[in-house]
Amino acid sequence: MQPTLKRCVEDWNALPWKKFQKDVFRLQHRIYKARQAENYKLVSKLQRLLFQSRAVRFLAIRQITQLNRGKVTAGVDGIARLNVRERLRIFEDLNDLKNYKHQPLKRIYIPKPNGEKRPLGIPTIKDRIVQCMLKYTLEPVYEAYASKGSWGFRPGRSTHDVLMQIFVNLKKSDINYEKRILELDIEKCFDKINHDRLMEEIYLPTYMNRIIRSALKAGVLKEREATHEGTPQGGVISPLLCNIILHGIEDLWNQPYKYFCKDRSVIRSKKSEIAQRGIRYADDIVFFLQEGEQADQLRKKIDDFLIERGLKVKEAKTHLVKSTKGFDFLGWRFEVKPNHSLTCRPSKKNRIQMIKKIKTKMKDCRLDLKKRLEKVKVIYRGWRNYHQYCDLSTVNLWSINEWVYKFVKKANNKLKRKKRTEAKVVRIEKIQDIFNNHKFALFKHVAVKSDKSPFDNDWIYWSNRKNKQYDRLKAKMLKRQKFRCGECNLKFASDDQIDLHHIDGSHENNSYRNLIVLHRSCHQHQPIHGLKRSKVRT
């Protein structure tokens, strides 16, 4: 007799999640230290222990079915959601994975800003859970030897860290006005990776390697039976595999660090201190060239590196420019001014994308004006937060403010003419709350230390960094709770998703007694939210 759904919910909530997280992190830390010591026999032993553990299976199931943003995306099996009974059933199915094979992928297309479409391969929920387990097992190994110039899709790192690395290479104290920048993109990086070369770079026990190869060869339903190259975009482990295969390309142009005096002559050179001349975020890369250095030599090294892995540079997105002419990278425009100081502002392409999103949302007739403005506020606030460490004073932000103002005013006039008393007229003052009162601090972000990793067990360092990522209420509550979750009492890890919880359920009451910071997984099970959902259903 199957247990009732209510009993399954009670069993799921009663699981020792705190112990699971501790057990998984302890093994990941041991894998990280063993790889640094090049004790490969111990690494393999610990990987088997972690992959076969009960804790990693439950955490992977929770991550895929409850926490990930794409948790309701269906694969070829058509299953988009799992209830608690189905989660416990899939846990039992994961007991023996030695002969596990991935199902074919579901193909969907995402439009690009240039009009092209990016193909994504969506695995089934079970396949995503297995990939998540492999990621927990493989990520500490990569973090132990990852390059200082690799920043994309790594725990504890963000694009703002990349911004500060570019500042270090082009700041005023250096001879930045003589530097040139080689900006390049890899053509169809995820689709063209050589499988055999990739498997040579992956260090996992044999049967786990077979699971990864099965994921690479899964193919796309109704398109092809097997995939002979590339990694499936949309898979949980795909960004990590991309980092592994491209490891080392950012170090092709590194040189011993040189110290210059005012007449630009070299004072001394430290061979032990290496200047990071390449910065990679996933498959986007920039290199910094000093005066007199040959870009052709660097391009030859890059091409040889990529050919060995079945890849090549996309010429349309490859540019060699002077630092004074400026270049775009990760949505920012970097440029050295005539006074040799570096400036950064949102790129034109990035601003246009933001404006298009706002206009599309305002024209969405399925929502009333008030809800549209709330959606626009989220879009604009996210855009401003992303650009909070660049110069926004030179960017024209009044145009979109004026467009929204005229749109709302016109819509209000239509409501008044039709005498629709049931429709609420939106006050124009609300628009000012959206587009005003935002600050910026040019190059004030504190970048993560390039040799640090969340798996190094330095909780003091990562807790302090976590606190600096937030402002106002959330940062204050983190400090009051000593960087621990108010529900499970575990310290917040670098990649944990943190929510601000209102104890009485009212977001109008922001007193400290009514606030608590929680893991997102802990926040989902708060009784007040369950009561609210039941009231909505009734």
Side-chain angles (χ1 to χ4, degrees), residues 26-194:
R26 184 178 69 251
L27 286 172
Q28 286 179 323
H29 172 62
R30 291 181 65 190
I31 292 171
Y32 175 82
K33 299 298 288 185
R35 176 57 183 85
Q36 282 188 326
E38 299 184 357
N39 189 347
Y40 297 105
K41 188 175 180 180
L42 180 59
V43 168
S44 181
K45 181 180 178 181
L46 293 171
Q47 284 178 325
R48 288 190 183 91
L49 189 61
L50 175 60
F51 189 73
Q52 296 170 358
S53 68
R54 181 168 174 257
V56 79
R57 280 183 281 161
F58 272 121
L59 288 179
I61 292 171
R62 186 179 68 168
Q63 184 68 38
I64 297 301
T65 61
Q66 288 186 277
L67 302 182
N68 277 3
R69 290 184 178 179
K71 59 188 175 184
V72 296
T73 306
V76 294
D77 56 358
I79 300 175
R81 298 175 187 271
L82 294 180
N83 59 34
V84 180
R85 185 191 290 121
E86 291 168 334
R87 291 177 206 154
L88 294 173
R89 189 182 304 142
I90 206 171
F91 170 79
E92 299 297 333
D93 294 341
L94 297 174
N95 279 330
D96 186 12
L97 297 174
K98 289 189 176 180
N99 298 316
Y100 185 82
K101 288 188 179 180
H102 275 63
Q103 290 184 267
L105 307 173
K106 179 183 177 181
R107 176 69 79 207
I108 63 173
Y109 293 91
I110 294 179
K112 287 181 170 183
N114 58 4
E116 298 178 0
K117 290 185 177 181
R118 176 183 284 111
L120 293 184
I122 307 300
T124 63
I125 288 182
K126 187 175 180 180
D127 289 341
R128 294 204 295 269
I129 291 170
V130 174
Q131 288 188 25
C132 188
M133 293 169 61
L134 287 168
K135 182 185 175 185
Y136 286 149
T137 308
L138 184 58
E139 196 167 45
V141 178
Y142 172 70
E143 284 292 313
Y145 67 86
S147 169
K148 293 181 178 181
S150 173
W151 296 93
F153 300 112
R154 291 181 60 193
R157 284 162 171 75
S158 68
T159 52
H160 293 143
D161 298 317
V162 178
L163 182 143
M164 295 308 299
Q165 290 300 311
I166 294 176
F167 172 70
V168 168
N169 276 278
L170 293 177
K171 60 185 179 181
K172 188 174 180 179
S173 58
D174 282 343
I175 49 173
N176 50 19
Y177 56 93
E178 293 181 348
K179 287 186 177 180
R180 291 173 297 160
I181 292 89
L182 177 63
E183 180 192 1
L184 56 91
D185 186 20
I186 300 174
E187 185 174 1
K188 296 182 179 179
C189 178
F190 286 89
D191 300 329
K192 296 293 184 180
I193 292 174
N194 184 286

Side-chain angles (χ1 to χ4, degrees), residues 280-293:
R280 178 174 65 84
Y281 193 91
D283 58 343
D284 294 325
I285 314 170
V286 290
F287 288 93
F288 301 93
L289 288 83
Q290 300 280 7
E291 184 183 16
E293 293 181 339

